[in-house]
Each structure stands twice: as structure tokens, then as C-alpha cells.
Amino acid sequence: MMKVRIGAIGPPDSLQIIREVAQLDSRIELVEFEYFGSEQLPGIMSKHRYEVTQWIFSGQTPYHYCLEKGLITEQEASYPPLHGMALLGTCLQVMQEHGRFVSHMSLDTVDEGIVKSLFSEYHLDKINFELLSYQGYKDYDEIIDFHFQNFKAGKAEVALTCLLKVYLALRKLGIPCYRVVPSKLAIKTVLDLLVSRAQSHVYEKQKVVIIGFQLVEGGRVCKKTVYDFAEKQKELELELELLQIARKLNGSLINRGGGVHFIYATQGDYELLIAERTFSKMVNEITMRTTLDFHIGIGSGYTIHDAEQHVQRAFEYANEEAAGTIIYVDEEGINTGALGKDNTNALPNLKLPVYWEAVLKTHGYRENIPMKVYQYVKLKNIPYFSSEMMSSLLKNTDRNSRRILSELEQMGLIRSLKEDLNQGKRGRPKKVYELVLSEEK
């Protein structure tokens, strides 16, 4: 079973707890990144964002900071919430260390509703909290000042914080302070969610995508079944252009008749293509070379039937628009802009991991081919690959592909997992590989 690679971001004490939980789950390969302040997060995410499948943050502050700065999306990450039991356990620690009942405390981050519900349920109404609840991200200095002012005014004997930087600052100021950290149960719940999301993501990339081209003549959909020689020649030119796109998508081109052509591919291959180049630009170039106008309907579905239904729906919508319109339809509905002219939904251009850049530079190896291999594997979210798969990607012979993979393996950028015995076929077994994203020790 292939493991899900999950990145963990947090201070050392939080990472230790996350590590202990992750080690009990055979599905997870945890990659840890220590941080002490939000100013470190952009550097971590810019270098390592796409080296893992999902991210777990130690708390809401680093998570929402990255979310607000566009360093991550909600579908890539999550964080363990601070349930009531974590707060209750910290309060018990305060009482035990002080040897008496402490009735006045200041508390940041934890939702006010959780505090009221928990202490009401256990009849602990004599504990008074000065609260600084907030959604998203709040500046550290503001939180530190909140605790300092409450302690100075005698409103709180003890400060409870969820943030290591705040904890260290308050301790330095001589204020009794305790850290509230998520429970192991909360961490396990989030890790289960991330694993499930990662597995679902693999399934999503295997969805069927059909790209339909519908010829338009004089502003109307072309329904001809008989063409003169000049028109037939133009359609053959169009088929040659579409065949090139089909090859890039590792797909199949079908002439459906009546001026309609379908390219069958997968969601992963389609996203890989638009990550390299906007689809609308490719369409415009075909229009210029063939002088033909057409609508483009893109249908995505978990079955061929669903994808075909979505293409037809896209065509129906496109018929009301100008020629050259690109309409994308999936189970969530119609999208005219995200995959159309501005291509705002195209995947970001993946950078090579820092480890790969360093190794390639050391060996004086050009980045173009390793970049293609890395982007293909990451964007399609495939766990392992063979030389045959790379031959298709690199448009190369199997012998040259094996040579390239051998070079990458010798440099430590990929590793061979097992021998593919070709399921009874003749010929020598082929190696199966996976990416190596950091130096092995």
C-alpha cells in the first residue's frame, strides 16, 4: 500500500504530538517543518507546497495566515481544533502546579462558545476567563498585549495561550503562562480527513474528460453531412490539429459526424496540459491555421456516459454564445470563465523541490526533462511510474527513457520499488519507480 505524504507545520512541541499520532497510522508518511513565527511560513510553503499531498497545521493561526496570503487552499490543508478537553486538561494542570483553585485566567484563540459550554456542563462557573476569541489570523503582538494588560490589571493570575511565540514572550515577561495544545484525538481526526481527501484526489484525477469541438458556420452550428472538396480538406486539417492535442493528452480522437469531434482523456491529463499552456490559446491557434470556427464543450464525469452528457450540456450553453467559447461542465454545473479565455483555474506551474534543484546543479544536469517527470507525477498524483509511462510522456524510445530514469535513480531523485513482471508477457521485467523528495539518511 502506497503511503499518503502529509506535511506538518508547527512548533517543536506540537510537531512531536502530531508525529506520535502519525506513527500509529501505516497509511501516512509525515514530513515535518518547524516554524516559530508567521514570517517563516511563506518561505516554507513556496519551497515545499507541492512536495506533499496534504498539509496539517498545528493550529488556526498558521493555517489562516497561509490561507489569507494565498499560500494554500482549503482543499490542501486543515488543522486540529481545540476541543474542550484540551482546555480542561490545561486548567487541571494549572490547579495542580499552583496547589490551589485559580479562578481568574486570560485565554486566547479558543472559541467563546466552547469555553461557556464546557465549564457550564461541568459546573465550573467559578473560573472566570478574560477571552480573546477570534476567527482567522491575529497579530502576535496584539495577543501578547492582551494577556499582559489583563495580568497587569489583576484580572488574570495566569495566562493560557495556544501559540508558542506568545507563550515564550509572556514567560520572558514573568507572567505565569501555560500552553493549550490540541488533543491526540483531534489530531487523529484531522489526519483521517487528510488521508481520505488525498485518496479521493487520486480518484478525481482518473475522471473521464471529453473535449468536444462543434463546428460553427455563419454563427450557427454546422449540421452538414455532405461537404464539398474545400470544406472536406478544412475538416481534415482540423482533425490533424485535434490529433496533436489528443496525443498531448494521451487520449483518443473520435469523429462523431455532423462537424463534431470528441477527444477522450482523463482529468489528470487535462489538468497537466492546461498547467503548461492555456487551452484558449491553443484553440485560437487552431482557428487561425484552419480558418474554421467552433464551440468547445468540455465535459467531466466519473463515467463516460456522465462526461458525454456534460459535453452535450456544454454545447447547448455554447450555442447561445459567440464562436470560440469554451464551456466546462462537471457534476457541480457549468463554468464559463475558469477554464475559458482567462484560464484562471489552470494549475500553478510546479517548481522542482529544493533537493532536486541542488542535486541537478551539483551534477550539472539540465532541469527540463526532470521537470517534466516531476510535474507529470505530481499533477496526475500517481504513486509510481515505469519507463513505459515516461516514454509516452517524453515522446521518446523506451531505451532512452530507461537511460533517463537510470540517471535520475543514480542521482537519488527517484528510487525503484519493485520489478513489474509484465503480467506474463515476454521480455525482461521493467522497474517501477517513485519520487524521492528529500535526501535519504
Side-chain angles (χ1 to χ4, degrees), residues 372-393:
K372 280 187 178 182
V373 173
Y374 175 75
Q375 288 190 335
Y376 183 83
V377 173
K378 297 304 289 183
L379 287 178
K380 290 206 69 175
N381 206 17
I382 53 178
Y384 52 87
F385 52 93
S386 65
S387 60
E388 186 176 10
M389 188 182 296
M390 288 301 110
S391 296
S392 176
L393 167 68

mmCIF file with all atom_site columns, all heavy atoms in Angstrom, residues 372-393:
data_model
loop_
_atom_site.group_PDB
_atom_site.id
_atom_site.type_symbol
_atom_site.label_atom_id
_atom_site.label_alt_id
_atom_site.label_comp_id
_atom_site.label_asym_id
_atom_site.label_entity_id
_atom_site.label_seq_id
_atom_site.pdbx_PDB_ins_code
_atom_site.Cartn_x
_atom_site.Cartn_y
_atom_site.Cartn_z
_atom_site.occupancy
_atom_site.B_iso_or_equiv
_atom_site.pdbx_formal_charge
_atom_site.auth_seq_id
_atom_site.auth_comp_id
_atom_site.auth_asym_id
_atom_site.auth_atom_id
_atom_site.pdbx_PDB_model_num
ATOM 1   N N   . LYS A 1 372 ? 9.766  17.764 -16.362 1.00 0.00 ? 372 LYS A N   1
ATOM 2   C CA  . LYS A 1 372 ? 8.622  17.100 -16.985 1.00 0.00 ? 372 LYS A CA  1
ATOM 3   C C   . LYS A 1 372 ? 8.190  15.876 -16.184 1.00 0.00 ? 372 LYS A C   1
ATOM 4   O O   . LYS A 1 372 ? 7.005  15.642 -15.967 1.00 0.00 ? 372 LYS A O   1
ATOM 5   C CB  . LYS A 1 372 ? 8.976  16.677 -18.417 1.00 0.00 ? 372 LYS A CB  1
ATOM 6   C CG  . LYS A 1 372 ? 8.903  17.790 -19.436 1.00 0.00 ? 372 LYS A CG  1
ATOM 7   C CD  . LYS A 1 372 ? 9.090  17.231 -20.842 1.00 0.00 ? 372 LYS A CD  1
ATOM 8   C CE  . LYS A 1 372 ? 8.968  18.336 -21.894 1.00 0.00 ? 372 LYS A CE  1
ATOM 9   N NZ  . LYS A 1 372 ? 9.113  17.788 -23.264 1.00 0.00 ? 372 LYS A NZ  1
ATOM 10  N N   . VAL A 1 373 ? 9.185  15.088 -15.751 1.00 0.00 ? 373 VAL A N   1
ATOM 11  C CA  . VAL A 1 373 ? 8.886  13.889 -14.966 1.00 0.00 ? 373 VAL A CA  1
ATOM 12  C C   . VAL A 1 373 ? 8.204  14.267 -13.662 1.00 0.00 ? 373 VAL A C   1
ATOM 13  O O   . VAL A 1 373 ? 7.159  13.711 -13.288 1.00 0.00 ? 373 VAL A O   1
ATOM 14  C CB  . VAL A 1 373 ? 10.171 13.084 -14.689 1.00 0.00 ? 373 VAL A CB  1
ATOM 15  C CG1 . VAL A 1 373 ? 9.894  11.929 -13.727 1.00 0.00 ? 373 VAL A CG1 1
ATOM 16  C CG2 . VAL A 1 373 ? 10.780 12.567 -15.987 1.00 0.00 ? 373 VAL A CG2 1
ATOM 17  N N   . TYR A 1 374 ? 8.771  15.247 -12.962 1.00 0.00 ? 374 TYR A N   1
ATOM 18  C CA  . TYR A 1 374 ? 8.233  15.665 -11.659 1.00 0.00 ? 374 TYR A CA  1
ATOM 19  C C   . TYR A 1 374 ? 6.811  16.210 -11.797 1.00 0.00 ? 374 TYR A C   1
ATOM 20  O O   . TYR A 1 374 ? 5.909  15.839 -11.041 1.00 0.00 ? 374 TYR A O   1
ATOM 21  C CB  . TYR A 1 374 ? 9.157  16.725 -11.048 1.00 0.00 ? 374 TYR A CB  1
ATOM 22  C CG  . TYR A 1 374 ? 8.622  17.301 -9.752  1.00 0.00 ? 374 TYR A CG  1
ATOM 23  C CD1 . TYR A 1 374 ? 8.683  16.563 -8.574  1.00 0.00 ? 374 TYR A CD1 1
ATOM 24  C CD2 . TYR A 1 374 ? 8.056  18.567 -9.711  1.00 0.00 ? 374 TYR A CD2 1
ATOM 25  C CE1 . TYR A 1 374 ? 8.186  17.075 -7.385  1.00 0.00 ? 374 TYR A CE1 1
ATOM 26  C CE2 . TYR A 1 374 ? 7.559  19.092 -8.530  1.00 0.00 ? 374 TYR A CE2 1
ATOM 27  C CZ  . TYR A 1 374 ? 7.627  18.337 -7.374  1.00 0.00 ? 374 TYR A CZ  1
ATOM 28  O OH  . TYR A 1 374 ? 7.112  18.853 -6.211  1.00 0.00 ? 374 TYR A OH  1
ATOM 29  N N   . GLN A 1 375 ? 6.604  17.129 -12.764 1.00 0.00 ? 375 GLN A N   1
ATOM 30  C CA  . GLN A 1 375 ? 5.285  17.727 -12.941 1.00 0.00 ? 375 GLN A CA  1
ATOM 31  C C   . GLN A 1 375 ? 4.245  16.677 -13.325 1.00 0.00 ? 375 GLN A C   1
ATOM 32  O O   . GLN A 1 375 ? 3.112  16.715 -12.840 1.00 0.00 ? 375 GLN A O   1
ATOM 33  C CB  . GLN A 1 375 ? 5.335  18.817 -14.004 1.00 0.00 ? 375 GLN A CB  1
ATOM 34  C CG  . GLN A 1 375 ? 6.050  20.088 -13.550 1.00 0.00 ? 375 GLN A CG  1
ATOM 35  C CD  . GLN A 1 375 ? 5.867  21.223 -14.526 1.00 0.00 ? 375 GLN A CD  1
ATOM 36  O OE1 . GLN A 1 375 ? 5.633  21.005 -15.700 1.00 0.00 ? 375 GLN A OE1 1
ATOM 37  N NE2 . GLN A 1 375 ? 5.962  22.444 -14.047 1.00 0.00 ? 375 GLN A NE2 1
ATOM 38  N N   . TYR A 1 376 ? 4.616  15.747 -14.179 1.00 0.00 ? 376 TYR A N   1
ATOM 39  C CA  . TYR A 1 376 ? 3.684  14.708 -14.607 1.00 0.00 ? 376 TYR A CA  1
ATOM 40  C C   . TYR A 1 376 ? 3.212  13.869 -13.412 1.00 0.00 ? 376 TYR A C   1
ATOM 41  O O   . TYR A 1 376 ? 2.016  13.647 -13.226 1.00 0.00 ? 376 TYR A O   1
ATOM 42  C CB  . TYR A 1 376 ? 4.360  13.818 -15.642 1.00 0.00 ? 376 TYR A CB  1
ATOM 43  C CG  . TYR A 1 376 ? 3.463  12.737 -16.213 1.00 0.00 ? 376 TYR A CG  1
ATOM 44  C CD1 . TYR A 1 376 ? 2.593  13.013 -17.261 1.00 0.00 ? 376 TYR A CD1 1
ATOM 45  C CD2 . TYR A 1 376 ? 3.503  11.439 -15.708 1.00 0.00 ? 376 TYR A CD2 1
ATOM 46  C CE1 . TYR A 1 376 ? 1.781  12.022 -17.791 1.00 0.00 ? 376 TYR A CE1 1
ATOM 47  C CE2 . TYR A 1 376 ? 2.685  10.448 -16.226 1.00 0.00 ? 376 TYR A CE2 1
ATOM 48  C CZ  . TYR A 1 376 ? 1.833  10.745 -17.273 1.00 0.00 ? 376 TYR A CZ  1
ATOM 49  O OH  . TYR A 1 376 ? 1.022  9.761  -17.778 1.00 0.00 ? 376 TYR A OH  1
ATOM 50  N N   . VAL A 1 377 ? 4.157  13.434 -12.611 1.00 0.00 ? 377 VAL A N   1
ATOM 51  C CA  . VAL A 1 377 ? 3.827  12.574 -11.472 1.00 0.00 ? 377 VAL A CA  1
ATOM 52  C C   . VAL A 1 377 ? 3.004  13.330 -10.429 1.00 0.00 ? 377 VAL A C   1
ATOM 53  O O   . VAL A 1 377 ? 2.026  12.802 -9.888  1.00 0.00 ? 377 VAL A O   1
ATOM 54  C CB  . VAL A 1 377 ? 5.116  12.005 -10.829 1.00 0.00 ? 377 VAL A CB  1
ATOM 55  C CG1 . VAL A 1 377 ? 4.802  11.250 -9.538  1.00 0.00 ? 377 VAL A CG1 1
ATOM 56  C CG2 . VAL A 1 377 ? 5.828  11.090 -11.808 1.00 0.00 ? 377 VAL A CG2 1
ATOM 57  N N   . LYS A 1 378 ? 3.369  14.589 -10.159 1.00 0.00 ? 378 LYS A N   1
ATOM 58  C CA  . LYS A 1 378 ? 2.668  15.358 -9.131  1.00 0.00 ? 378 LYS A CA  1
ATOM 59  C C   . LYS A 1 378 ? 1.271  15.767 -9.575  1.00 0.00 ? 378 LYS A C   1
ATOM 60  O O   . LYS A 1 378 ? 0.314  15.657 -8.815  1.00 0.00 ? 378 LYS A O   1
ATOM 61  C CB  . LYS A 1 378 ? 3.475  16.599 -8.747  1.00 0.00 ? 378 LYS A CB  1
ATOM 62  C CG  . LYS A 1 378 ? 4.826  16.305 -8.119  1.00 0.00 ? 378 LYS A CG  1
ATOM 63  C CD  . LYS A 1 378 ? 4.711  15.417 -6.881  1.00 0.00 ? 378 LYS A CD  1
ATOM 64  C CE  . LYS A 1 378 ? 4.101  16.125 -5.702  1.00 0.00 ? 378 LYS A CE  1
ATOM 65  N NZ  . LYS A 1 378 ? 4.061  15.263 -4.491  1.00 0.00 ? 378 LYS A NZ  1
ATOM 66  N N   . LEU A 1 379 ? 1.144  16.269 -10.822 1.00 0.00 ? 379 LEU A N   1
ATOM 67  C CA  . LEU A 1 379 ? -0.158 16.744 -11.288 1.00 0.00 ? 379 LEU A CA  1
ATOM 68  C C   . LEU A 1 379 ? -1.138 15.594 -11.511 1.00 0.00 ? 379 LEU A C   1
ATOM 69  O O   . LEU A 1 379 ? -2.341 15.746 -11.292 1.00 0.00 ? 379 LEU A O   1
ATOM 70  C CB  . LEU A 1 379 ? -0.006 17.567 -12.567 1.00 0.00 ? 379 LEU A CB  1
ATOM 71  C CG  . LEU A 1 379 ? 0.613  18.958 -12.376 1.00 0.00 ? 379 LEU A CG  1
ATOM 72  C CD1 . LEU A 1 379 ? 0.773  19.664 -13.711 1.00 0.00 ? 379 LEU A CD1 1
ATOM 73  C CD2 . LEU A 1 379 ? -0.240 19.810 -11.450 1.00 0.00 ? 379 LEU A CD2 1
ATOM 74  N N   . LYS A 1 380 ? -0.639 14.429 -11.926 1.00 0.00 ? 380 LYS A N   1
ATOM 75  C CA  . LYS A 1 380 ? -1.515 13.275 -12.093 1.00 0.00 ? 380 LYS A CA  1
ATOM 76  C C   . LYS A 1 380 ? -1.703 12.523 -10.786 1.00 0.00 ? 380 LYS A C   1
ATOM 77  O O   . LYS A 1 380 ? -2.559 11.664 -10.661 1.00 0.00 ? 380 LYS A O   1
ATOM 78  C CB  . LYS A 1 380 ? -0.964 12.321 -13.160 1.00 0.00 ? 380 LYS A CB  1
ATOM 79  C CG  . LYS A 1 380 ? -1.035 12.879 -14.568 1.00 0.00 ? 380 LYS A CG  1
ATOM 80  C CD  . LYS A 1 380 ? -1.104 11.780 -15.613 1.00 0.00 ? 380 LYS A CD  1
ATOM 81  C CE  . LYS A 1 380 ? -2.415 11.046 -15.566 1.00 0.00 ? 380 LYS A CE  1
ATOM 82  N NZ  . LYS A 1 380 ? -2.576 10.049 -16.632 1.00 0.00 ? 380 LYS A NZ  1
ATOM 83  N N   . ASN A 1 381 ? -0.861 12.887 -9.788  1.00 0.00 ? 381 ASN A N   1
ATOM 84  C CA  . ASN A 1 381 ? -0.975 12.312 -8.447  1.00 0.00 ? 381 ASN A CA  1
ATOM 85  C C   . ASN A 1 381 ? -0.876 10.782 -8.486  1.00 0.00 ? 381 ASN A C   1
ATOM 86  O O   . ASN A 1 381 ? -1.654 10.080 -7.856  1.00 0.00 ? 381 ASN A O   1
ATOM 87  C CB  . ASN A 1 381 ? -2.294 12.736 -7.805  1.00 0.00 ? 381 ASN A CB  1
ATOM 88  C CG  . ASN A 1 381 ? -2.198 12.721 -6.294  1.00 0.00 ? 381 ASN A CG  1
ATOM 89  O OD1 . ASN A 1 381 ? -1.113 12.714 -5.739  1.00 0.00 ? 381 ASN A OD1 1
ATOM 90  N ND2 . ASN A 1 381 ? -3.319 12.715 -5.619  1.00 0.00 ? 381 ASN A ND2 1
ATOM 91  N N   . ILE A 1 382 ? 0.099  10.287 -9.269  1.00 0.00 ? 382 ILE A N   1
ATOM 92  C CA  . ILE A 1 382 ? 0.298  8.844  -9.357  1.00 0.00 ? 382 ILE A CA  1
ATOM 93  C C   . ILE A 1 382 ? 1.406  8.436  -8.390  1.00 0.00 ? 382 ILE A C   1
ATOM 94  O O   . ILE A 1 382 ? 2.407  9.130  -8.256  1.00 0.00 ? 382 ILE A O   1
ATOM 95  C CB  . ILE A 1 382 ? 0.643  8.404  -10.797 1.00 0.00 ? 382 ILE A CB  1
ATOM 96  C CG1 . ILE A 1 382 ? 1.836  9.201  -11.347 1.00 0.00 ? 382 ILE A CG1 1
ATOM 97  C CG2 . ILE A 1 382 ? -0.555 8.553  -11.714 1.00 0.00 ? 382 ILE A CG2 1
ATOM 98  C CD1 . ILE A 1 382 ? 2.265  8.785  -12.738 1.00 0.00 ? 382 ILE A CD1 1
ATOM 99  N N   . PRO A 1 383 ? 1.250  7.316  -7.690  1.00 0.00 ? 383 PRO A N   1
ATOM 100 C CA  . PRO A 1 383 ? 2.242  6.926  -6.673  1.00 0.00 ? 383 PRO A CA  1
ATOM 101 C C   . PRO A 1 383 ? 3.541  6.394  -7.261  1.00 0.00 ? 383 PRO A C   1
ATOM 102 O O   . PRO A 1 383 ? 4.605  6.579  -6.677  1.00 0.00 ? 383 PRO A O   1
ATOM 103 C CB  . PRO A 1 383 ? 1.517  5.850  -5.866  1.00 0.00 ? 383 PRO A CB  1
ATOM 104 C CG  . PRO A 1 383 ? 0.508  5.281  -6.812  1.00 0.00 ? 383 PRO A CG  1
ATOM 105 C CD  . PRO A 1 383 ? 0.079  6.420  -7.698  1.00 0.00 ? 383 PRO A CD  1
ATOM 106 N N   . TYR A 1 384 ? 3.469  5.714  -8.411  1.00 0.00 ? 384 TYR A N   1
ATOM 107 C CA  . TYR A 1 384 ? 4.696  5.179  -9.007  1.00 0.00 ? 384 TYR A CA  1
ATOM 108 C C   . TYR A 1 384 ? 4.535  5.125  -10.527 1.00 0.00 ? 384 TYR A C   1
ATOM 109 O O   . TYR A 1 384 ? 3.428  5.232  -11.061 1.00 0.00 ? 384 TYR A O   1
ATOM 110 C CB  . TYR A 1 384 ? 5.031  3.799  -8.440  1.00 0.00 ? 384 TYR A CB  1
ATOM 111 C CG  . TYR A 1 384 ? 3.907  2.801  -8.504  1.00 0.00 ? 384 TYR A CG  1
ATOM 112 C CD1 . TYR A 1 384 ? 3.715  2.024  -9.642  1.00 0.00 ? 384 TYR A CD1 1
ATOM 113 C CD2 . TYR A 1 384 ? 3.037  2.635  -7.430  1.00 0.00 ? 384 TYR A CD2 1
ATOM 114 C CE1 . TYR A 1 384 ? 2.690  1.109  -9.720  1.00 0.00 ? 384 TYR A CE1 1
ATOM 115 C CE2 . TYR A 1 384 ? 1.989  1.723  -7.497  1.00 0.00 ? 384 TYR A CE2 1
ATOM 116 C CZ  . TYR A 1 384 ? 1.824  0.964  -8.640  1.00 0.00 ? 384 TYR A CZ  1
ATOM 117 O OH  . TYR A 1 384 ? 0.802  0.050  -8.715  1.00 0.00 ? 384 TYR A OH  1
ATOM 118 N N   . PHE A 1 385 ? 5.636  4.942  -11.212 1.00 0.00 ? 385 PHE A N   1
ATOM 119 C CA  . PHE A 1 385 ? 5.627  5.018  -12.669 1.00 0.00 ? 385 PHE A CA  1
ATOM 120 C C   . PHE A 1 385 ? 6.713  4.121  -13.244 1.00 0.00 ? 385 PHE A C   1
ATOM 121 O O   . PHE A 1 385 ? 7.644  3.719  -12.547 1.00 0.00 ? 385 PHE A O   1
ATOM 122 C CB  . PHE A 1 385 ? 5.845  6.470  -13.125 1.00 0.00 ? 385 PHE A CB  1
ATOM 123 C CG  . PHE A 1 385 ? 7.047  7.127  -12.511 1.00 0.00 ? 385 PHE A CG  1
ATOM 124 C CD1 . PHE A 1 385 ? 8.282  7.113  -13.161 1.00 0.00 ? 385 PHE A CD1 1
ATOM 125 C CD2 . PHE A 1 385 ? 6.962  7.745  -11.272 1.00 0.00 ? 385 PHE A CD2 1
ATOM 126 C CE1 . PHE A 1 385 ? 9.391  7.703  -12.590 1.00 0.00 ? 385 PHE A CE1 1
ATOM 127 C CE2 . PHE A 1 385 ? 8.072  8.341  -10.685 1.00 0.00 ? 385 PHE A CE2 1
ATOM 128 C CZ  . PHE A 1 385 ? 9.294  8.320  -11.351 1.00 0.00 ? 385 PHE A CZ  1
ATOM 129 N N   . SER A 1 386 ? 6.583  3.823  -14.553 1.00 0.00 ? 386 SER A N   1
ATOM 130 C CA  . SER A 1 386 ? 7.530  2.945  -15.230 1.00 0.00 ? 386 SER A CA  1
ATOM 131 C C   . SER A 1 386 ? 8.184  3.677  -16.390 1.00 0.00 ? 386 SER A C   1
ATOM 132 O O   . SER A 1 386 ? 7.778  4.778  -16.758 1.00 0.00 ? 386 SER A O   1
ATOM 133 C CB  . SER A 1 386 ? 6.794  1.711  -15.761 1.00 0.00 ? 386 SER A CB  1
ATOM 134 O OG  . SER A 1 386 ? 5.868  2.113  -16.764 1.00 0.00 ? 386 SER A OG  1
ATOM 135 N N   . SER A 1 387 ? 9.172  3.048  -17.007 1.00 0.00 ? 387 SER A N   1
ATOM 136 C CA  . SER A 1 387 ? 9.833  3.650  -18.160 1.00 0.00 ? 387 SER A CA  1
ATOM 137 C C   . SER A 1 387 ? 8.868  3.745  -19.334 1.00 0.00 ? 387 SER A C   1
ATOM 138 O O   . SER A 1 387 ? 8.939  4.671  -20.143 1.00 0.00 ? 387 SER A O   1
ATOM 139 C CB  . SER A 1 387 ? 11.062 2.818  -18.556 1.00 0.00 ? 387 SER A CB  1
ATOM 140 O OG  . SER A 1 387 ? 10.683 1.501  -18.902 1.00 0.00 ? 387 SER A OG  1
ATOM 141 N N   . GLU A 1 388 ? 7.922  2.808  -19.419 1.00 0.00 ? 388 GLU A N   1
ATOM 142 C CA  . GLU A 1 388 ? 6.935  2.842  -20.495 1.00 0.00 ? 388 GLU A CA  1
ATOM 143 C C   . GLU A 1 388 ? 6.067  4.095  -20.390 1.00 0.00 ? 388 GLU A C   1
ATOM 144 O O   . GLU A 1 388 ? 5.768  4.752  -21.384 1.00 0.00 ? 388 GLU A O   1
ATOM 145 C CB  . GLU A 1 388 ? 6.067  1.590  -20.441 1.00 0.00 ? 388 GLU A CB  1
ATOM 146 C CG  . GLU A 1 388 ? 5.100  1.465  -21.610 1.00 0.00 ? 388 GLU A CG  1
ATOM 147 C CD  . GLU A 1 388 ? 4.330  0.164  -21.573 1.00 0.00 ? 388 GLU A CD  1
ATOM 148 O OE1 . GLU A 1 388 ? 4.407  -0.535 -20.545 1.00 0.00 ? 388 GLU A OE1 1
ATOM 149 O OE2 . GLU A 1 388 ? 3.652  -0.161 -22.564 1.00 0.00 ? 388 GLU A OE2 1
ATOM 150 N N   . MET A 1 389 ? 5.669  4.422  -19.168 1.00 0.00 ? 389 MET A N   1
ATOM 151 C CA  . MET A 1 389 ? 4.872  5.626  -18.952 1.00 0.00 ? 389 MET A CA  1
ATOM 152 C C   . MET A 1 389 ? 5.671  6.869  -19.313 1.00 0.00 ? 389 MET A C   1
ATOM 153 O O   . MET A 1 389 ? 5.165  7.823  -19.917 1.00 0.00 ? 389 MET A O   1
ATOM 154 C CB  . MET A 1 389 ? 4.420  5.688  -17.485 1.00 0.00 ? 389 MET A CB  1
ATOM 155 C CG  . MET A 1 389 ? 3.431  6.805  -17.174 1.00 0.00 ? 389 MET A CG  1
ATOM 156 S SD  . MET A 1 389 ? 2.987  6.849  -15.424 1.00 0.00 ? 389 MET A SD  1
ATOM 157 C CE  . MET A 1 389 ? 2.159  5.271  -15.243 1.00 0.00 ? 389 MET A CE  1
ATOM 158 N N   . MET A 1 390 ? 6.947  6.900  -18.957 1.00 0.00 ? 390 MET A N   1
ATOM 159 C CA  . MET A 1 390 ? 7.795  8.045  -19.260 1.00 0.00 ? 390 MET A CA  1
ATOM 160 C C   . MET A 1 390 ? 8.060  8.161  -20.761 1.00 0.00 ? 390 MET A C   1
ATOM 161 O O   . MET A 1 390 ? 8.215  9.261  -21.282 1.00 0.00 ? 390 MET A O   1
ATOM 162 C CB  . MET A 1 390 ? 9.121  7.936  -18.500 1.00 0.00 ? 390 MET A CB  1
ATOM 163 C CG  . MET A 1 390 ? 9.001  8.181  -17.003 1.00 0.00 ? 390 MET A CG  1
ATOM 164 S SD  . MET A 1 390 ? 8.327  9.812  -16.607 1.00 0.00 ? 390 MET A SD  1
ATOM 165 C CE  . MET A 1 390 ? 6.698  9.348  -15.966 1.00 0.00 ? 390 MET A CE  1
ATOM 166 N N   . SER A 1 391 ? 8.093  7.022  -21.458 1.00 0.00 ? 391 SER A N   1
ATOM 167 C CA  . SER A 1 391 ? 8.282  7.060  -22.916 1.00 0.00 ? 391 SER A CA  1
ATOM 168 C C   . SER A 1 391 ? 7.139  7.813  -23.573 1.00 0.00 ? 391 SER A C   1
ATOM 169 O O   . SER A 1 391 ? 7.329  8.612  -24.492 1.00 0.00 ? 391 SER A O   1
ATOM 170 C CB  . SER A 1 391 ? 8.363  5.642  -23.486 1.00 0.00 ? 391 SER A CB  1
ATOM 171 O OG  . SER A 1 391 ? 9.483  4.975  -22.979 1.00 0.00 ? 391 SER A OG  1
ATOM 172 N N   . SER A 1 392 ? 5.931  7.553  -23.074 1.00 0.00 ? 392 SER A N   1
ATOM 173 C CA  . SER A 1 392 ? 4.751  8.244  -23.603 1.00 0.00 ? 392 SER A CA  1
ATOM 174 C C   . SER A 1 392 ? 4.814  9.730  -23.292 1.00 0.00 ? 392 SER A C   1
ATOM 175 O O   . SER A 1 392 ? 4.489  10.571 -24.128 1.00 0.00 ? 392 SER A O   1
ATOM 176 C CB  . SER A 1 392 ? 3.478  7.635  -23.007 1.00 0.00 ? 392 SER A CB  1
ATOM 177 O OG  . SER A 1 392 ? 2.339  8.337  -23.432 1.00 0.00 ? 392 SER A OG  1
ATOM 178 N N   . LEU A 1 393 ? 5.262  10.065 -22.091 1.00 0.00 ? 393 LEU A N   1
ATOM 179 C CA  . LEU A 1 393 ? 5.347  11.471 -21.678 1.00 0.00 ? 393 LEU A CA  1
ATOM 180 C C   . LEU A 1 393 ? 6.406  12.217 -22.472 1.00 0.00 ? 393 LEU A C   1
ATOM 181 O O   . LEU A 1 393 ? 6.158  13.311 -22.998 1.00 0.00 ? 393 LEU A O   1
ATOM 182 C CB  . LEU A 1 393 ? 5.670  11.555 -20.181 1.00 0.00 ? 393 LEU A CB  1
ATOM 183 C CG  . LEU A 1 393 ? 6.092  12.932 -19.656 1.00 0.00 ? 393 LEU A CG  1
ATOM 184 C CD1 . LEU A 1 393 ? 4.925  13.910 -19.718 1.00 0.00 ? 393 LEU A CD1 1
ATOM 185 C CD2 . LEU A 1 393 ? 6.636  12.833 -18.242 1.00 0.00 ? 393 LEU A CD2 1
#
